[in-house]
Amino acid sequence: MTTPRTGTFPEKLKEGYQSFVERRLPDEAKRYSGLAKSQSPEVLLIGCCDSRVSPEVIFDAGPGELFVIRNVANLVPPCEEQGGEFHGTSAAIEFAVQGLEVKHIVVMGHATCGGIKAFASPSNPLSEGDFIGKWVSLVKSAAENVEDQNGPDYLTRLEYAMVGESLKNLMTFPFVRERVEAGTLTLHGAHFGIERGELLVRDPETGDFRPAVDMAGKSISQTALINCKEA
């Protein structure tokens, strides 16, 4: 076995940590002290590992507020109780639901998702293992329900469909289904638009994605971003 090569820790991360220690940590020292003993997030968010889509940033969440699972294309595989040995996403879902007893699970897709594009426009594998190709094959079931694969918005519609498919797959986990049916756990779908920072929420009845609204039912707009661009 080849010994891993080590080198200088990335400067970007050291600078970020220094900023954290000097600015944020002093304000949240008490919170971190409490979190050292336990965590009790109410929301499990399953999102894409894309560097542009950070759930903590999008939802302005502090430490301990979100339990986050990130993988290529925010996929939830069907429950497999037999066969296979390594189920990272399934293990994290199990811990969040069974161990932390979260009250909400949000599956959040996003615009221009590379994982969805990898399924729709397959290319040569990046490695002999073709880990990406095998993983995104989970998108196939969602794609079968998306019409007009040559349409200009096909990838967006496939992103939406995969959120719905992941929600469907969540219900194949017995411990998720039991809690949903008991009313102690609620599943949600969402989609984030990177260019304008727009959050769309999935209607559980129709499957349509609509702009997020506040407690008064008013659409939460990107006014600050619009004004910034116009300035």
Side-chain angles (χ1 to χ4, degrees):
M1 181 180 293
T2 304
T3 302
R5 180 181 179 182
T6 58
T8 304
F9 200 70
E11 287 298 322
K12 175 65 177 178
L13 298 187
K14 289 191 289 186
E15 292 172 0
Y17 177 64
Q18 182 173 1
S19 177
F20 166 75
V21 169
E22 294 176 352
R23 301 178 184 179
R24 185 166 183 172
L25 184 58
D27 294 334
E28 299 186 338
K30 186 175 181 180
R31 173 181 286 184
Y32 275 100
S33 178
L35 288 172
K37 302 178 180 67
S38 64
Q39 61 171 319
S40 55
E42 292 190 355
V43 177
L44 160 61
L45 191 142
I46 303 172
C48 184
C49 55
D50 192 301
S51 64
R52 302 166 295 177
V53 190
S54 172
E56 292 85 352
V57 173
I58 294 169
F59 296 105
D60 193 24
E65 294 182 346
L66 296 177
F67 188 84
V68 178
I69 301 171
R70 299 180 70 173
N71 61 43
V72 174
N74 44 268
L75 307 183
V76 174
C79 179
E80 291 183 307
E81 296 180 336
Q82 301 293 331
E85 299 293 337
F86 306 107
H87 300 290
T89 295
S90 299
I93 293 171
E94 180 181 62
F95 178 65
V97 175
Q98 297 279 67
L100 299 177
E101 299 183 339
V102 295
K103 298 177 181 175
H104 302 271
I105 300 179
V106 177
V107 177
M108 185 176 73
H110 71 93
T112 63
C113 179
I116 296 296
K117 185 177 180 180
F119 170 82
S121 304
S123 58
N124 293 330
L126 298 181
S127 71
E128 292 183 2
D130 191 21
F131 302 114
I132 295 175
K134 293 174 182 176
W135 177 249
V136 299
S137 67
L138 289 168
V139 178
K140 182 178 179 180
S141 295
E144 291 174 349
N145 297 317
V146 179
E147 299 178 354
D148 187 13
Q149 298 185 5
N150 296 316
D153 62 343
Y154 170 64
L155 290 179
T156 299
R157 289 183 288 114
L158 187 53
E159 290 162 1
Y160 293 163
M162 193 58 232
V163 170
E165 187 70 15
S166 286
L167 292 171
K168 178 182 175 181
N169 288 343
L170 277 170
M171 291 294 285
T172 66
F173 291 81
F175 51 85
V176 171
R177 185 177 65 253
E178 290 170 4
R179 284 166 172 74
V180 170
E181 292 176 349
T184 59
L185 178 65
T186 307
L187 308 185
H188 313 269
H191 184 273
F192 182 72
I194 295 173
E195 183 175 6
R196 294 178 61 83
E198 181 180 34
L199 181 70
L200 302 179
V201 176
R202 184 178 185 272
D203 185 317
E205 299 297 329
T206 66
D208 295 335
F209 283 78
R210 300 169 181 167
V213 297
D214 60 20
M215 293 295 290
K218 183 179 179 181
S219 177
I220 302 174
S221 65
Q222 303 79 45
T223 304
L225 180 59
I226 295 173
N227 290 341
C228 179
K229 286 187 174 183
E230 292 177 347

